[in-house]
Amino acid sequence: MLRRTLLLGLCRGPLGRGLGTHRGGSILGKVEGRGGYRGSWMAPSSSSVTFRTQDPAHDVKTVGRLGGGDRDGKMSEIKKKIQSILPGGDWNPLYDTSHLPPESSDVVIVGGGVLGLSVAYWLKKLEKPRGAIRVLVVERDHTYSRASTVLSVGGIRQQFSVPENVQLSLFSIDFLRNINEYLAVADDPPLDIQFNPSGYLLLASEKGAAIMENNVKVQRQEGAKVCLMSPEQLRNKFPWINTEGVALASYGMEHEGWFDPWCLLQGLRRKVQSMGVLFCHGEVTRFMSSSNLMKTASGEEVNLKRIHEVHVKIDQSLEYQPVECAIVINAAGAWSGQVAELAGIGKGPPGTLQGTKLPVELRKRYVYLWHCPQGPGLETPFVIDPSGTYFRREGLGHNYLGGCSPTEEEEPDPGNLEVDHDFFQDRVWPPLAQRVPAFETLKVRSAWAGYYDYNTFDQNGVVGPHPLVINMYFATGFSGHGLQQAPAVGRAVAEMVLEGHFQTINLSSFLFSRFYSGEKVQEHNII
């Protein structure tokens, strides 16, 4: 009705208060088309109607009285002339803001992958009272075509050497195996993450056997069901394995295997939307912050910063929207280092806390899918060879997924997601065929590349607040095991935001401050 009223020229004054963005705020009498074109209505006189644009050469003026039987025809002609100069098809006299984020949000989460969505879920689940917190998730890749979540192989294990990593994965597997108790949405079908509980099988050489024994002790102390196997036991259980060079193996007897990452991502997204979380397709390009100069107990001056506004560049547009906020969660995965730099993190003098960067960067990894009719059967676990090569079964048709992390010298260019097939021929296939002789005859059917949010410091996650940018929190840097630990990490970050400390799993060793102090988290089982 409002559209028709405007088109019929029945307004006797300015259009009204426009919906302002950064390009000028609220403007009286302004009209904007979908392509960013601006114009203004002049109140119609008894003899003419003028639509005035920014370019006088394109002003549309129609002369003649708008009364009587020809009014509809005249107005139709005016409408056609207006539409001819406005880009983007059908004209809408009111500026469409449905694609913009809100002007304010209590929490802005940068990154809509599984870690960011997990944080959003736990913030809403733990908030008191219900509806107390407004949460906005900003994700620039709404197709998730480059997201680490959906390009991973979907494994989950408890076979880590650091107790906190074991604890994170133990909770996450409970979450996944009871996923509909957490993520069910009324009137929607239940989730099926297709969890395959075939376990992980880690193989160790003579050199790594003692480390594996110590790791298994830690895992058992934390409640993981893991057994050690001699080469003979290994051959008896998995006769397709060549045990040459294997001194010891560890096998996860329960709560390990793989699942569908896309289902978890979509399940979290569906659930948080039902809980009131807002989404925006765009990219964070700037933080506005205030700062206070403080002195530490030792007399050192430090600059404490607080972000109070996030600028979001709208997807496929030149415009941005400022969003006022109280908390920012950096869950941008492989791009989280860049987001931290936008907040000024690491911009101080070298060797100082202010000059300490978030050491997370893009690392490209290849995943190959091959077919082998004579390959291992349905009981095949997720196998990790001492060489670093890994594989698992994919489906029921003698297909397998696998790959291998490159050495520092072999790190590929992360500027694209092209696959190096020579890497499979030279680095992946030889150890595969040596460990599983049947793989001598495998045929590669497809391959893809994805990104690790690689923590160059110690390859472990960064969780919790920054010590100087006091309202930026991290959930990043897991270097390949973020997907499997996401449910527990999201809970930990939400606890820190809402309560000021970790409650269920103490992740103090994963705080940002370790990069300044030099205290590495020594995890031996990074794949």
Side-chain angles (χ1 to χ4, degrees), residues 255-288:
H255 301 326
E256 289 190 335
W258 55 91
F259 63 96
D260 180 1
W262 178 253
C263 181
L264 175 61
L265 178 74
Q266 291 302 312
L268 278 166
R269 187 178 173 93
R270 183 183 76 173
K271 181 62 176 181
V272 298
Q273 284 180 311
S274 75
M275 300 169 88
V277 171
L278 305 174
F279 283 82
C280 173
H281 298 154
E283 180 178 0
V284 171
T285 58
R286 189 180 184 188
F287 295 107
M288 302 298 292

Side-chain angles (χ1 to χ4, degrees), residues 104-356:
S104 65
S105 181
D106 298 303
V107 179
V108 174
I109 299 176
V110 186
V114 71
L115 276 165
L117 294 177
S118 178
V119 175
Y121 168 77
W122 286 105
L123 283 171
K124 296 301 291 182
K125 185 171 179 64
L126 299 178
E127 68 180 348
K128 296 177 182 178
R130 293 284 181 234
I133 303 173
R134 188 181 220 188
V135 178
L136 169 68
V137 176
V138 181
E139 171 56 49
R140 65 179 180 178
D141 177 16
H142 65 275
T143 65
Y144 293 99
S145 61
R146 291 160 61 90
S148 302
T149 298
V150 299
L151 296 174
S152 76
V153 295
I156 183 166
R157 59 188 165 99
Q158 286 83 57
Q159 295 189 60
F160 291 95
S161 63
V162 172
E164 291 89 341
N165 280 328
V166 181
Q167 293 168 26
L168 288 170
S169 289
L170 281 169
F171 173 76
S172 291
I173 188 61
D174 178 76
F175 184 98
L176 293 175
R177 300 203 74 164
N178 299 283
I179 194 166
N180 286 295
E181 294 181 16
Y182 292 99
L183 301 185
V185 175
D187 301 324
D188 281 358
L191 296 170
D192 178 11
I193 61 167
Q194 300 177 43
F195 178 65
N196 188 310
S198 294
Y200 266 66
L201 179 66
L202 276 64
L203 308 179
S205 63
E206 194 69 46
K207 181 180 178 180
I211 294 175
M212 176 174 280
E213 285 189 272
N214 289 332
N215 292 346
V216 170
K217 286 180 183 178
V218 172
Q219 295 153 17
R220 289 172 174 171
Q221 287 171 357
E222 300 301 328
K225 300 273 182 75
V226 182
C227 71
L228 289 170
M229 304 174 70
S230 67
E232 183 180 0
Q233 291 171 319
L234 193 58
R235 285 192 297 270
N236 289 336
K237 186 167 182 62
F238 303 112
W240 40 264
I241 283 184
N242 172 17
T243 59
E244 181 183 351
V246 176
L248 193 65
S250 62
Y251 177 56
M253 295 182 289
E254 64 180 35
H255 301 326
E256 289 190 335
W258 55 91
F259 63 96
D260 180 1
W262 178 253
C263 181
L264 175 61
L265 178 74
Q266 291 302 312
L268 278 166
R269 187 178 173 93
R270 183 183 76 173
K271 181 62 176 181
V272 298
Q273 284 180 311
S274 75
M275 300 169 88
V277 171
L278 305 174
F279 283 82
C280 173
H281 298 154
E283 180 178 0
V284 171
T285 58
R286 189 180 184 188
F287 295 107
M288 302 298 292
S289 59
S290 57
S291 59
N292 290 306
L293 196 62
M294 307 288 287
K295 281 191 176 182
T296 65
S298 62
E300 179 186 359
E301 287 189 342
V302 293
N303 202 20
L304 295 183
K305 297 176 67 175
R306 178 179 290 275
I307 298 168
H308 55 80
E309 193 173 87
V310 178
H311 287 188
V312 181
K313 179 181 174 295
I314 306 307
D315 188 36
Q316 297 183 342
S317 172
L318 295 177
E319 67 181 330
Y320 72 83
Q321 172 77 12
V323 181
E324 294 181 1
C325 63
I327 298 289
V328 175
I329 309 294
N330 186 345
W335 296 270
S336 56
Q338 299 170 26
V339 173
E341 287 185 9
L342 290 176
I345 293 171
K347 295 293 183 68
T352 67
L353 184 55
Q354 288 175 295
T356 302

